[in-house]
Amino acid sequence: NLRNLTLSSPLCGRRQAVRGPAFMFNARGTSLTSEEERFLDATEYGNIPVVRKMLDESSTLNVNCVDYMGQNGLQLAVGNEHLEVTELLLRRDNLARIGDALLLAISKGYVRIVEAILSHPSFFTSERLTRSPCELQDDDFYSYDEDGTRFSPDITPIILAAHCQKYEVVHMLLMKGARIERPHDYFCKCADCTEKQRKDSFSHSRSRINAYRGLASPAYLSLSSEDPVLTALELSNELAKLANIEKEFKNDYRKLSMQCKDFVVGVLDLCRDTEEVEAILNGDISAELEEGQHHRSLLSRVKLAIKYEVKKFVAHPNCQQQLLTIWYENLSGLREQAIAVKCLVVLVVALGLPLLAVGYWFAPCSKVRSCVSW
Ligand SMILES: [Zn+2]
């Protein structure tokens, strides 16, 4: 497949390659009829009138014919960002390789074309979006010959969109019900995993890392999760553990774990006021508040970050500022005092603690209470 890899590079123009040595090794280039050649040219260069005329009038035209690089008209139109030609082709009901065209459009970031392809009737069932090319080997939705898609066969559209950080496309696919499946445990012994491991252990490992790469991408984290901070913190921990288990991909997993941590810090960076910082540091407080706790003292995300050793998060100015505010909550005047005064106050409070405690017993609502709770 090396020939295909080198030829599908976007820099390699079609005309140029025809004259190149690759042409000599390829017998298929010669088998195109002149009509098919004209059709492929029209789709590649976005010649709308010619494409429309040929689609309407010619009864012999095979719309799925492929050029010497194994790309059909749809792929050529999508690859060259011709939205209208793509729409014309999508109206044909016997069109093949729609999945390949979708992946191509996602990788290039052509949002309008992705939208057009997703409105095709073949996406009315969400199965097409949730399953990868290698799982969906039942029709001509993806090409499976050697010239097929240049994407890894375990990549679903949403994984690719997440890899490419296309927020709009990820959102569109999530709306259509596509999700990235969390890979099973590394030592999972279920029938599915055993079969994949037996068939091709390299592909199995690669599909796992591809899925995690999608899960850890900021676009997917922020759009798919109700609580992105919690999801990212837990994922970073899971990836750090995997780095120690799957040693051969150690660097990749470490990088992804770091990416999740950076995402959490990035979210904290974006905060504009105390309320937002509190929301991030405390997480989902609705459950705990019902039990009557004071939400300021929860800081569940900070505790989690300390547990998972996300130092950047805890040391972030926004987080530290919030922690200091809580520290001096009832004694705001103390903050401006010199170190010696602070030490003295601590000493006096520590020595007087038994007395203060007794005082608290008799008058729980007085000012003394704040000293004890402090
Ligand atoms: Zn399994």
Side-chain angles (χ1 to χ4, degrees), residues 102 106 109-119 129 158 161 166-179 223:
L102 177 66
I106 291 172
Y110 301 152
V111 180
R112 296 289 303 279
I113 294 183
V114 172
E115 221 169 336
I117 298 177
L118 284 179
S119 57
L129 287 175
I158 188 150
K166 308 285 184 224
Y167 283 78
E168 271 174 303
V169 181
V170 171
H171 181 249
M172 233 185 271
L173 292 166
L174 284 171
M175 284 294 162
K176 291 225 160 217
R179 294 283 182 281
L223 290 172

Side-chain angles (χ1 to χ4, degrees), residues 81-301:
E81 208 183 354
H82 299 308
L83 176 63
E84 280 172 70
V85 177
T86 308
E87 282 171 340
L88 280 177
L89 290 169
L90 284 170
R91 280 181 214 151
R92 292 292 282 240
D93 34 302
N94 58 343
L95 196 65
R97 299 190 180 186
I98 299 171
D100 289 322
L102 177 66
L103 291 179
L104 187 61
I106 291 172
S107 73
K108 296 220 172 196
Y110 301 152
V111 180
R112 296 289 303 279
I113 294 183
V114 172
E115 221 169 336
I117 298 177
L118 284 179
S119 57
H120 189 268
S122 58
F123 290 103
F124 286 170
T125 58
S126 63
E127 196 196 35
R128 285 248 164 72
L129 287 175
T130 50
R131 298 177 66 190
S132 62
C134 64
E135 292 173 319
L136 206 71
Q137 292 200 350
D138 53 354
D139 52 13
D140 51 7
F141 192 70
Y142 289 102
S143 56
Y144 295 104
D145 54 9
E146 54 164 31
D147 281 331
T149 165
R150 60 191 164 107
F151 305 100
S152 171
D154 54 73
I155 282 199
T156 60
I158 188 150
I159 291 183
L160 184 65
H163 286 188
C164 302
Q165 303 297 338
K166 308 285 184 224
Y167 283 78
E168 271 174 303
V169 181
V170 171
H171 181 249
M172 233 185 271
L173 292 166
L174 284 171
M175 284 294 162
K176 291 225 160 217
R179 294 283 182 281
I180 301 179
E181 293 279 331
R182 202 168 263 253
H184 293 190
D185 187 75
Y186 182 65
F187 298 108
C188 176
K189 288 276 172 275
C190 75
D192 199 26
C193 291
T194 319
E195 172 63 19
K196 279 182 190 162
Q197 187 80 36
R198 192 190 57 79
K199 216 166 134 195
D200 187 346
S201 59
F202 169 70
S203 300
H204 182 56
S205 292
R206 194 189 47 195
S207 75
R208 289 171 56 80
I209 188 119
N210 275 335
Y212 275 117
R213 212 171 269 155
L215 285 168
S217 86
Y220 190 78
L221 275 176
S222 52
L223 290 172
S224 72
S225 175
E226 290 256 318
D227 189 344
V229 174
L230 178 64
T231 315
L233 280 174
E234 281 177 344
L235 191 61
S236 81
N237 184 50
E238 190 181 335
L239 289 164
K241 277 189 199 155
L242 279 172
N244 288 328
I245 298 173
E246 289 186 61
K247 291 243 191 309
E248 59 278 24
F249 290 109
K250 191 170 190 151
N251 282 338
D252 294 277
Y253 280 119
R254 272 213 183 141
K255 225 185 272 172
L256 288 178
S257 174
M258 202 46 88
Q259 189 180 313
C260 289
K261 291 176 181 175
D262 287 343
F263 171 78
V264 178
V265 177
V267 173
L268 200 54
D269 250 337
L270 292 174
C271 290
R272 289 163 300 187
D273 53 31
T274 311
E275 199 186 342
E276 290 181 355
V277 178
E278 270 181 9
I280 290 179
L281 298 189
N282 294 323
D284 184 17
I285 54 167
S286 54
E288 283 98 338
L289 273 186
E290 276 167 20
E291 290 161 21
Q293 287 186 16
H294 185 32
H295 74 276
R296 270 236 163 135
S297 58
L298 280 174
L299 298 173
S300 55
R301 298 293 175 267

Side-chain angles (χ1 to χ4, degrees), residues 64-84:
N64 294 321
C65 61
V66 293
D67 69 356
Y68 68 99
M69 264 165 52
Q71 289 187 297
N72 69 2
L74 181 66
Q75 285 169 296
L76 287 172
V78 169
N80 292 292
E81 208 183 354
H82 299 308
L83 176 63
E84 280 172 70

